Amino acid sequence: MHKVILKPGKEKSLLRRHPWVFSGAIARVEGSPVVGDTVRIIAQDGRFLALAAYNPVSQISARVWDWREDTRIDAGFFRVKIATAIRMRDALLGKEPAGAVRLIHGESDGLPGLVADRYADVVAMQISSAGCHRWRDAIIAALNELTGARALYERSDSDVLELEGLQSRTGVVHGTLDPPQVEILENGARFRVDVARGHKTGFYLDQRDNRHFVGELAAGRDVLNCFCYTGAFTVHALAKGAKSVASVDSSADALQLAQEHVRMNGLPEDRCEWIDADVFPLLRKLRDQARQFDLIILDPPKFAPTPATAERAARGYKDINLLAFKLLRPGGLLATFSCSGGVSADLFRKIVAGAALDAGADAQMIGQFHAAPDHPVSLAFPEGEYLKGLLCRVA
């Protein structure tokens, strides 16, 4: 088997079970591995460290498959990993036929570069690493066998593919799905998921528990839902008795589906306000109009995919949070989120605290948000904790 020999001292992160090897840590490569090949990662002193998928094109030159030298990386390996991940979700969340759940969560399930989400009887998968691309057929076969899905849809179209030197691939790889929309049930609410064109694999499953919790807080309140996408927070807020919900997004198509979700769930349309706008200038406009709300939800898209872009992202996060604090009535609540991997939870808290200070708001943090438990975080891979959020109250 091909070998990747590390520079002196560069084995430390792998000894802590961190699953990435960066290009700068490599002293030399023995053999002639090509993109996606399995290699043995070796310390400078000759110690075996891990089996990994090799990609000389990426800054992350190797992603660990397994820490045992005698493990065979073959189709059986992927079947076992996928079966283990699915069993964990079944034990944790049960099997709701119409429900939606993340079945595989990349590195945290020992499958770097693979995400698979189940929407009722359809599975959407996304490959973003050379190793999983190499074993794509085995992964598809295992998902088909283990999920019994009527259709498997590939959404390997993320921006990271370019960094990995991989081509985008989308479409049905098993079964039939026409049209590519699936109805799901989430905490009693119905939603229609577009697995072909929706964000990520079609829906933000990581926010499932947070939507339910924030919805409970909405009873009797005037709510502003920013970056509302297809209105999941809006639906849960209305279902729990929100007095009104103003929902903002820059996508007319997303807003149209959000309105359909309100109708599907038999919720009062007269309590809804739909605003097709960029959130940043819209918040300033609302401030100038002296609008006020009892609960504001900020769930923006990823501002900082890497730490290198964190400074620029911090300005954006501070701007929207500062304006949100200004729009809250006394006793109002702000549920604010970041899904940027490049912004740590500590940095995000500092940004929100700075925003409250500049807004002249006397604010308390009364809760924190994380991804739902079907999005586990390996203790050796803190980068997996990308979603973070704060619940703040103003005096």
mmCIF file of all heavy atoms in Angstrom, residues 119 126 153 155 157 180-181 192-204 229-230 257:
data_model
loop_
_atom_site.group_PDB
_atom_site.id
_atom_site.type_symbol
_atom_site.label_atom_id
_atom_site.label_comp_id
_atom_site.label_asym_id
_atom_site.label_seq_id
_atom_site.Cartn_x
_atom_site.Cartn_y
_atom_site.Cartn_z
ATOM 1 N N TYR A 119 -35.505 11.797 3.742
ATOM 2 C CA TYR A 119 -36.749 12.551 3.732
ATOM 3 C C TYR A 119 -37.875 11.570 3.428
ATOM 4 O O TYR A 119 -38.058 11.170 2.276
ATOM 5 C CB TYR A 119 -36.703 13.654 2.675
ATOM 6 C CG TYR A 119 -35.608 14.673 2.899
ATOM 7 C CD1 TYR A 119 -34.507 14.743 2.051
ATOM 8 C CD2 TYR A 119 -35.667 15.570 3.964
ATOM 9 C CE1 TYR A 119 -33.500 15.676 2.247
ATOM 10 C CE2 TYR A 119 -34.662 16.505 4.170
ATOM 11 C CZ TYR A 119 -33.578 16.552 3.311
ATOM 12 O OH TYR A 119 -32.592 17.480 3.518
ATOM 13 N N GLN A 126 -24.772 13.446 -0.451
ATOM 14 C CA GLN A 126 -23.848 14.447 -0.969
ATOM 15 C C GLN A 126 -22.423 13.995 -0.691
ATOM 16 O O GLN A 126 -22.057 13.727 0.457
ATOM 17 C CB GLN A 126 -24.109 15.802 -0.315
ATOM 18 C CG GLN A 126 -23.320 16.942 -0.910
ATOM 19 C CD GLN A 126 -23.784 18.275 -0.346
ATOM 20 O OE1 GLN A 126 -23.423 18.634 0.768
ATOM 21 N NE2 GLN A 126 -24.595 19.008 -1.101
ATOM 22 N N TYR A 153 -31.207 10.200 -4.325
ATOM 23 C CA TYR A 153 -30.879 11.362 -5.149
ATOM 24 C C TYR A 153 -29.520 11.901 -4.738
ATOM 25 O O TYR A 153 -29.254 12.122 -3.554
ATOM 26 C CB TYR A 153 -31.933 12.463 -4.978
ATOM 27 C CG TYR A 153 -31.897 13.501 -6.068
ATOM 28 C CD1 TYR A 153 -32.712 13.395 -7.189
ATOM 29 C CD2 TYR A 153 -31.024 14.590 -5.994
ATOM 30 C CE1 TYR A 153 -32.669 14.339 -8.210
ATOM 31 C CE2 TYR A 153 -30.973 15.534 -6.997
ATOM 32 C CZ TYR A 153 -31.802 15.407 -8.101
ATOM 33 O OH TYR A 153 -31.755 16.353 -9.109
ATOM 34 N N ARG A 155 -26.760 14.832 -4.523
ATOM 35 C CA ARG A 155 -26.618 16.290 -4.522
ATOM 36 C C ARG A 155 -25.163 16.682 -4.296
ATOM 37 O O ARG A 155 -24.848 17.489 -3.435
ATOM 38 C CB ARG A 155 -27.505 16.898 -3.441
ATOM 39 C CG ARG A 155 -28.955 17.047 -3.802
ATOM 40 C CD ARG A 155 -29.188 18.058 -4.922
ATOM 41 N NE ARG A 155 -28.636 19.366 -4.613
ATOM 42 C CZ ARG A 155 -29.301 20.326 -3.959
ATOM 43 N NH1 ARG A 155 -30.540 20.111 -3.571
ATOM 44 N NH2 ARG A 155 -28.734 21.481 -3.728
ATOM 45 N N ASP A 157 -22.964 18.788 -5.197
ATOM 46 C CA ASP A 157 -22.838 20.049 -5.930
ATOM 47 C C ASP A 157 -22.367 21.197 -5.038
ATOM 48 O O ASP A 157 -22.583 22.364 -5.347
ATOM 49 C CB ASP A 157 -24.180 20.410 -6.577
ATOM 50 C CG ASP A 157 -25.330 20.493 -5.571
ATOM 51 O OD1 ASP A 157 -25.095 20.250 -4.365
ATOM 52 O OD2 ASP A 157 -26.459 20.795 -5.987
ATOM 53 N N PRO A 180 -39.068 15.947 -8.118
ATOM 54 C CA PRO A 180 -38.120 15.693 -7.023
ATOM 55 C C PRO A 180 -38.501 16.392 -5.729
ATOM 56 O O PRO A 180 -37.686 17.046 -5.092
ATOM 57 C CB PRO A 180 -36.801 16.226 -7.583
ATOM 58 C CG PRO A 180 -37.212 17.334 -8.482
ATOM 59 C CD PRO A 180 -38.525 16.916 -9.097
ATOM 60 N N GLN A 181 -39.767 16.274 -5.336
ATOM 61 C CA GLN A 181 -40.234 16.870 -4.089
ATOM 62 C C GLN A 181 -40.827 15.789 -3.195
ATOM 63 O O GLN A 181 -41.504 14.880 -3.680
ATOM 64 C CB GLN A 181 -41.272 17.961 -4.370
ATOM 65 C CG GLN A 181 -40.689 19.189 -5.058
ATOM 66 C CD GLN A 181 -41.706 20.308 -5.181
ATOM 67 O OE1 GLN A 181 -42.901 20.086 -5.141
ATOM 68 N NE2 GLN A 181 -41.217 21.529 -5.311
ATOM 69 N N ARG A 192 -42.725 20.500 2.388
ATOM 70 C CA ARG A 192 -42.379 19.906 1.101
ATOM 71 C C ARG A 192 -40.911 20.217 0.830
ATOM 72 O O ARG A 192 -40.503 21.382 0.830
ATOM 73 C CB ARG A 192 -43.275 20.456 -0.001
ATOM 74 C CG ARG A 192 -43.089 19.759 -1.339
ATOM 75 C CD ARG A 192 -44.236 20.065 -2.279
ATOM 76 N NE ARG A 192 -45.465 19.424 -1.817
ATOM 77 C CZ ARG A 192 -46.642 20.047 -1.722
ATOM 78 N NH1 ARG A 192 -46.738 21.321 -2.036
ATOM 79 N NH2 ARG A 192 -47.711 19.407 -1.306
ATOM 80 N N VAL A 193 -40.122 19.174 0.618
ATOM 81 C CA VAL A 193 -38.675 19.307 0.424
ATOM 82 C C VAL A 193 -38.335 19.063 -1.046
ATOM 83 O O VAL A 193 -38.716 18.044 -1.620
ATOM 84 C CB VAL A 193 -37.909 18.295 1.311
ATOM 85 C CG1 VAL A 193 -36.409 18.388 1.056
ATOM 86 C CG2 VAL A 193 -38.221 18.535 2.780
ATOM 87 N N ASP A 194 -37.610 20.006 -1.638
ATOM 88 C CA ASP A 194 -37.141 19.863 -3.014
ATOM 89 C C ASP A 194 -35.699 19.374 -2.962
ATOM 90 O O ASP A 194 -34.769 20.154 -2.746
ATOM 91 C CB ASP A 194 -37.220 21.207 -3.740
ATOM 92 C CG ASP A 194 -36.923 21.100 -5.230
ATOM 93 O OD1 ASP A 194 -36.245 20.129 -5.629
ATOM 94 O OD2 ASP A 194 -37.358 21.977 -5.994
ATOM 95 N N VAL A 195 -35.504 18.074 -3.134
ATOM 96 C CA VAL A 195 -34.160 17.506 -2.988
ATOM 97 C C VAL A 195 -33.261 17.858 -4.170
ATOM 98 O O VAL A 195 -32.036 17.737 -4.074
ATOM 99 C CB VAL A 195 -34.203 15.973 -2.808
ATOM 100 C CG1 VAL A 195 -34.932 15.604 -1.533
ATOM 101 C CG2 VAL A 195 -34.828 15.284 -4.009
ATOM 102 N N ALA A 196 -33.837 18.314 -5.282
ATOM 103 C CA ALA A 196 -33.033 18.643 -6.462
ATOM 104 C C ALA A 196 -32.515 20.075 -6.423
ATOM 105 O O ALA A 196 -31.369 20.333 -6.807
ATOM 106 C CB ALA A 196 -33.855 18.426 -7.735
ATOM 107 N N ARG A 197 -33.332 21.003 -5.941
ATOM 108 C CA ARG A 197 -32.951 22.417 -6.020
ATOM 109 C C ARG A 197 -32.878 23.115 -4.671
ATOM 110 O O ARG A 197 -32.414 24.259 -4.592
ATOM 111 C CB ARG A 197 -33.939 23.169 -6.914
ATOM 112 C CG ARG A 197 -33.877 22.748 -8.374
ATOM 113 C CD ARG A 197 -34.923 23.459 -9.218
ATOM 114 N NE ARG A 197 -36.275 23.050 -8.839
ATOM 115 C CZ ARG A 197 -36.892 21.988 -9.360
ATOM 116 N NH1 ARG A 197 -36.279 21.247 -10.257
ATOM 117 N NH2 ARG A 197 -38.113 21.676 -8.964
ATOM 118 N N GLY A 198 -33.330 22.469 -3.608
ATOM 119 C CA GLY A 198 -33.306 23.108 -2.302
ATOM 120 C C GLY A 198 -31.901 23.284 -1.759
ATOM 121 O O GLY A 198 -30.945 22.672 -2.232
ATOM 122 N N HIS A 199 -31.773 24.159 -0.747
ATOM 123 C CA HIS A 199 -30.476 24.370 -0.106
ATOM 124 C C HIS A 199 -29.969 23.069 0.523
ATOM 125 O O HIS A 199 -30.752 22.237 0.960
ATOM 126 C CB HIS A 199 -30.586 25.436 0.986
ATOM 127 C CG HIS A 199 -30.867 26.808 0.457
ATOM 128 N ND1 HIS A 199 -30.978 27.902 1.276
ATOM 129 C CD2 HIS A 199 -31.054 27.268 -0.808
ATOM 130 C CE1 HIS A 199 -31.225 28.978 0.546
ATOM 131 N NE2 HIS A 199 -31.285 28.605 -0.717
ATOM 132 N N LYS A 200 -28.653 22.925 0.564
ATOM 133 C CA LYS A 200 -28.019 21.718 1.102
ATOM 134 C C LYS A 200 -28.571 20.497 0.373
ATOM 135 O O LYS A 200 -28.498 20.425 -0.851
ATOM 136 C CB LYS A 200 -28.193 21.640 2.631
ATOM 137 C CG LYS A 200 -27.586 22.851 3.338
ATOM 138 C CD LYS A 200 -27.785 22.841 4.823
ATOM 139 C CE LYS A 200 -26.737 22.036 5.527
ATOM 140 N NZ LYS A 200 -26.800 22.184 6.991
ATOM 141 N N THR A 201 -29.180 19.553 1.089
ATOM 142 C CA THR A 201 -29.816 18.435 0.385
ATOM 143 C C THR A 201 -31.323 18.659 0.241
ATOM 144 O O THR A 201 -32.051 17.749 -0.143
ATOM 145 C CB THR A 201 -29.580 17.095 1.114
ATOM 146 O OG1 THR A 201 -30.229 17.145 2.392
ATOM 147 C CG2 THR A 201 -28.097 16.806 1.279
ATOM 148 N N GLY A 202 -31.781 19.871 0.545
ATOM 149 C CA GLY A 202 -33.187 20.196 0.391
ATOM 150 C C GLY A 202 -33.825 20.870 1.586
ATOM 151 O O GLY A 202 -34.816 21.585 1.460
ATOM 152 N N PHE A 203 -33.254 20.671 2.797
ATOM 153 C CA PHE A 203 -33.888 21.179 4.013
ATOM 154 C C PHE A 203 -32.810 21.299 5.084
ATOM 155 O O PHE A 203 -31.808 20.581 5.040
ATOM 156 C CB PHE A 203 -34.986 20.207 4.462
ATOM 157 C CG PHE A 203 -36.063 20.804 5.324
ATOM 158 C CD1 PHE A 203 -36.922 21.767 4.819
ATOM 159 C CD2 PHE A 203 -36.252 20.374 6.636
ATOM 160 C CE1 PHE A 203 -37.945 22.293 5.603
ATOM 161 C CE2 PHE A 203 -37.263 20.888 7.421
ATOM 162 C CZ PHE A 203 -38.113 21.851 6.903
ATOM 163 N N TYR A 204 -33.031 22.202 6.056
ATOM 164 C CA TYR A 204 -32.059 22.393 7.136
ATOM 165 C C TYR A 204 -32.446 21.511 8.322
ATOM 166 O O TYR A 204 -33.037 21.970 9.307
ATOM 167 C CB TYR A 204 -31.999 23.868 7.536
ATOM 168 C CG TYR A 204 -31.358 24.738 6.482
ATOM 169 C CD1 TYR A 204 -32.137 25.424 5.558
ATOM 170 C CD2 TYR A 204 -29.972 24.848 6.394
ATOM 171 C CE1 TYR A 204 -31.545 26.215 4.578
ATOM 172 C CE2 TYR A 204 -29.376 25.638 5.422
ATOM 173 C CZ TYR A 204 -30.171 26.323 4.524
ATOM 174 O OH TYR A 204 -29.584 27.093 3.542
ATOM 175 N N TYR A 229 -36.027 31.351 4.375
ATOM 176 C CA TYR A 229 -35.989 30.248 3.414
ATOM 177 C C TYR A 229 -37.421 29.769 3.145
ATOM 178 O O TYR A 229 -38.259 30.562 2.730
ATOM 179 C CB TYR A 229 -35.056 29.147 3.922
ATOM 180 C CG TYR A 229 -34.813 28.018 2.940
ATOM 181 C CD1 TYR A 229 -34.604 28.275 1.575
ATOM 182 C CD2 TYR A 229 -34.778 26.693 3.363
ATOM 183 C CE1 TYR A 229 -34.377 27.243 0.675
ATOM 184 C CE2 TYR A 229 -34.540 25.659 2.471
ATOM 185 C CZ TYR A 229 -34.354 25.939 1.133
ATOM 186 O OH TYR A 229 -34.134 24.914 0.245
ATOM 187 N N THR A 230 -37.739 28.500 3.383
ATOM 188 C CA THR A 230 -39.087 28.001 3.059
ATOM 189 C C THR A 230 -40.029 28.018 4.270
ATOM 190 O O THR A 230 -41.041 27.331 4.283
ATOM 191 C CB THR A 230 -39.010 26.580 2.466
ATOM 192 O OG1 THR A 230 -38.367 25.700 3.393
ATOM 193 C CG2 THR A 230 -38.245 26.583 1.162
ATOM 194 N N LEU A 257 -42.828 28.913 -1.544
ATOM 195 C CA LEU A 257 -42.969 27.620 -0.886
ATOM 196 C C LEU A 257 -43.292 27.798 0.594
ATOM 197 O O LEU A 257 -44.061 27.018 1.175
ATOM 198 C CB LEU A 257 -41.696 26.792 -1.063
ATOM 199 C CG LEU A 257 -41.733 25.354 -0.555
ATOM 200 C CD1 LEU A 257 -42.943 24.596 -1.100
ATOM 201 C CD2 LEU A 257 -40.435 24.622 -0.925
#
